């Protein structure tokens, strides 16, 4: 219950963003709950196998989807860019598997593991028919998704309420082509370093490299002047 309450508290930070991109790629809006299982709605989440961000991309898959990863920047932690990449990847998985439960299973364990499980099941295509051939974590992943979707949709019926809802910081974007040390930038501009860090989670080392071209730095709208 405590975990679900915390997700309800954070949902306005990210769920409207997820809904925007899911609609753009003509995907079911219920997929907005996937990053709750994946990362607890934490854009800086890092798993044991080194999956990163709200959508928990491994680096090879992230790069395949056009996300940039280097010493300074990891776009897997950028909510906008990682969400669009995830939508493209999920749409591709569904195009191959033609089934939403199997698509979720493939998102969790990779399409290779799912195809192997289908082959071992005698080429069945239903999640429950290939269930026992899937990796253990993936077997629980789809029921977990159903559970969290239910919990979020019907929270009020189970007396799950929060006193303080979190909301995103209204922001503008400035483009930069030079090295910027965020701490110095914050001090010179009077912008809160905490706000800058929260708005730009993809910046790993507290700085934008000199090699960045047209890097989109998000700043609080109230400080844009």
């Amino acid at each position: 219950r405590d975990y679900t309450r915390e997700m309800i508290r954070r949902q306005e930070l990210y769920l409207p963003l997820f809904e925007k991109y899911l609609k753009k790629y003509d995907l079911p809006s219920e997929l907005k709950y996937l990053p709750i299982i994946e990362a607890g709605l934490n854009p800086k989440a890092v798993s044991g196998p080194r999956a990163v961000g709200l959508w928990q991309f491994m680096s090879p898959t992230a790069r395949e989807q056009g996300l940039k990863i280097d010493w300074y920047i990891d776009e897997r932690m950028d909510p906008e860019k990682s969400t669009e990449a995830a939508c493209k990847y999920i749409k591709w998985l569904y195009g191959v598997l033609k089934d939403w439960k199997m698509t979720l299973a493939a998102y969790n364990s990779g399409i290779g593991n799912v195809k192997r499980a289908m082959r071992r099941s005698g080429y069945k295509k239903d999640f429950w028919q290939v269930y026992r051939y899937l990796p253990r974590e993936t077997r629980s992943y789809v029921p977990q998704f159903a559970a969290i979707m239910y919990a979020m949709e019907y929270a009020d019926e189970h007396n799950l309420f929060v006193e303080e809802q979190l909301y995103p910081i209204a922001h503008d974007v400035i483009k930069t082509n030079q090295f910027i040390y965020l701490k110095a930038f914050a001090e010179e501009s009077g912008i809160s370093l905490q706000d800058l860090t929260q708005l730009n989670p993809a910046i790993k080392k507290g700085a934008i490299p000199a090699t960045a071209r047209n890097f989109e730095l998000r700043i609080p709208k109230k400080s844009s002047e």
Side-chain angles (χ1 to χ4, degrees):
R1 291 179 72 84
D2 287 345
Y3 180 78
T4 307
R5 276 195 198 94
E6 183 57 25
M7 295 304 101
I8 294 166
R9 197 170 81 92
R10 294 186 200 177
Q11 65 179 346
E12 290 302 318
L13 290 172
Y14 300 111
L15 264 56
L17 172 69
F18 302 158
E19 287 169 350
K20 181 180 88 171
Y21 282 102
L22 289 166
K23 186 176 181 181
K24 177 181 176 180
Y25 285 90
D26 196 26
L27 294 168
S29 67
E30 291 88 346
L31 292 170
K32 67 189 176 190
Y33 298 121
L34 211 50
I36 293 178
I37 301 172
E38 289 288 345
L41 295 181
N42 175 11
K44 285 191 169 288
V46 180
S47 73
R50 306 301 296 171
V52 170
L54 287 162
W55 297 89
Q56 288 291 282
F57 274 113
M58 298 293 282
S59 54
T61 310
R63 288 192 171 100
E64 280 172 16
Q65 299 305 318
L67 295 177
K68 179 183 175 182
I69 304 166
D70 62 26
W71 174 255
Y72 285 101
I73 307 294
D74 190 337
E75 290 183 344
R76 293 177 294 178
M77 296 185 192
D78 183 301
E80 291 254 359
K81 290 180 179 176
S82 67
T83 298
E84 182 151 30
C87 289
K88 288 192 285 187
Y89 181 51
I90 291 168
K91 195 168 183 73
W92 175 77
L93 288 173
Y94 182 73
V96 174
L97 296 164
K98 311 292 186 195
D99 178 273
W100 282 114
K101 292 186 187 74
M102 296 298 277
T103 298
L104 289 171
Y107 190 86
N108 175 249
S109 66
I111 197 163
N113 281 324
V114 167
K115 285 191 166 182
R116 193 176 303 115
M118 290 167 72
R119 193 166 60 247
R120 289 175 65 200
S121 72
Y123 294 96
K124 299 286 195 304
K125 294 181 180 178
D126 177 74
F127 174 77
W128 297 109
Q129 290 179 313
V130 303
Y131 177 86
R132 66 195 186 100
Y133 302 102
L134 290 164
R136 185 179 298 173
E137 182 192 320
T138 308
R139 289 179 219 163
S140 62
Y141 187 79
V142 173
Q144 203 177 358
F145 175 79
I148 205 70
M149 183 169 73
Y150 174 83
M152 295 297 286
E153 293 279 343
Y154 297 98
D156 54 342
E157 293 187 21
H158 296 277
N159 295 315
L160 286 163
F161 300 103
V162 293
E163 291 178 9
E164 183 194 6
Q165 190 85 49
L166 295 178
Y167 292 96
I169 301 167
H171 68 272
D172 279 336
V173 171
I174 54 172
K175 291 191 177 183
T176 175
N177 291 295
Q178 66 189 64
F179 179 84
I180 292 181
Y181 181 43
L182 286 190
K183 189 170 185 291
F185 181 80
E187 288 168 359
E188 291 292 332
S189 64
I191 296 172
S192 155
L193 180 59
Q194 185 179 347
D195 286 354
L196 273 178
T197 305
Q198 187 179 328
L199 283 169
N200 299 279
I203 301 173
K204 293 195 294 185
K205 304 294 180 183
I208 301 166
T211 53
R213 286 290 160 264
N214 292 317
F215 183 88
E216 295 186 347
L217 179 69
R218 299 184 187 103
I219 58 169
K221 192 179 275 287
K222 64 185 181 186
S223 308
S224 60
E225 283 302 316

